[in-house]
């Protein structure tokens, strides 16, 4: 059985890229923690949780602004989409409900390599199994292959997320 990927990373004609706040909250030229986030908190079926790789670029009392690496399912689209890196806020309530683990601290130049990896990571044709968690794992493994991340850091982050969500393993 062959693995099939979507053309254009799932960016179909007529779709609109998410609003990118990077012109308001640029990625600073300082070392920042790159994190693995899991949203959803579904301990009965953790494959329903949404994963992303992100780093905080700005914060206020009611929201956090993150540079995000993720794939998403857009409304009325029957597949996942990789829009490449973009900057968007996450409300404080959503962030409080998320499980997060620091992967490591990276310079701006190193974060650009993360972005390059994610931007080039393909999206599979829907099969009812493969999801954002598989895509994030592919990005993590590619980052390891590029020397950005040790396998132990991946294992530690996964264990932290699993523990936070009340599970034994991911």
């Amino acid at each position: 059985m062959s693995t099939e990927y979507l053309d254009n990373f799932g960016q179909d004609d007529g779709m609109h890229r998410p609003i990118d706040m990077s012109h308001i909250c640029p990625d600073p030229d300082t070392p920042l923690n790159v994190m693995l986030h899991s949203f959803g908190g579904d301990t009965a079926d953790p494959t329903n949780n949404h994963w992303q790789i992100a780093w905080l670029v700005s914060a206020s009392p009611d929201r956090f602004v993150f540079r995000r690496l993720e794939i998403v399912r857009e409304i009325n689209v029957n597949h996942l989409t990789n829009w490449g890196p973009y900057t968007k806020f996450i409300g404080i309530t959503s962030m409080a409900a998320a499980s997060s683990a620091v992967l490591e601290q990276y310079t701006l130049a190193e974060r650009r390599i993360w972005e390059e990896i994610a931007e080039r990571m393909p999206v599979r044709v829907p099969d009812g199994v493969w999801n954002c968690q598989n895509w994030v794992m592919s990005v993590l493994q590619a980052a390891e292959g590029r020397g950005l991340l040790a396998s132990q850091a991946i294992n530690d982050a996964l264990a932290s997320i699993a523990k936070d969500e009340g599970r034994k393993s991911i």
Side-chain angles (χ1 to χ4, degrees):
M1 183 170 127
S2 68
T3 302
E4 295 182 57
Y5 293 93
L6 296 172
D7 293 334
N8 301 319
F9 302 93
Q11 300 174 24
D12 297 339
D13 290 339
M15 292 175 69
H16 299 283
R17 182 176 172 77
I19 294 171
D20 186 349
M21 298 175 56
S22 60
H23 62 288
I24 299 168
C25 301
D27 196 355
D29 192 1
T30 59
L32 296 175
N33 288 333
V34 173
M35 307 192 60
L36 172 62
H37 292 157
S38 175
F39 297 92
D42 189 341
T43 56
D45 186 1
T47 61
N48 289 333
N49 296 345
H50 177 69
W51 283 12
Q52 67 179 214
I53 297 166
W55 51 92
L56 185 67
V57 296
S58 179
S60 69
D62 63 339
R63 68 178 171 258
F64 299 98
V65 181
F66 282 93
R67 188 76 173 153
R68 300 179 183 194
L69 310 176
E70 64 185 344
I71 57 173
V72 294
R73 181 163 182 226
E74 300 293 350
I75 297 171
N76 297 322
V77 177
N78 191 28
H79 59 72
L80 297 167
T81 304
N82 178 359
W83 290 109
Y86 62 97
T87 301
K88 191 171 181 180
F89 79 89
I90 298 174
I92 198 159
T93 304
S94 295
M95 201 60 225
S99 297
S100 301
V102 174
L103 293 166
E104 199 170 306
Q105 192 173 80
Y106 294 93
T107 65
L108 179 61
E110 291 168 327
R111 294 192 306 273
R112 293 294 175 258
I113 297 170
W114 275 98
E115 291 180 356
E116 176 189 315
I117 291 167
E119 193 166 37
R120 294 179 180 179
M121 192 59 63
V123 177
R124 285 178 62 176
V125 170
D127 65 5
V129 178
W130 191 88
N131 65 17
C132 62
Q133 295 177 15
N134 302 102
W135 183 88
V136 165
M137 287 301 301
S138 295
V139 172
L140 293 173
Q141 291 163 352
E144 179 185 6
R146 296 274 300 264
L148 284 176
L149 191 63
S151 61
Q152 189 59 51
I154 296 171
N155 293 337
D156 291 349
L158 294 175
S160 177
I161 294 290
K163 181 180 176 188
D164 196 31
E165 293 180 346
R167 295 181 278 125
K168 291 184 179 173
S169 64
I170 294 182

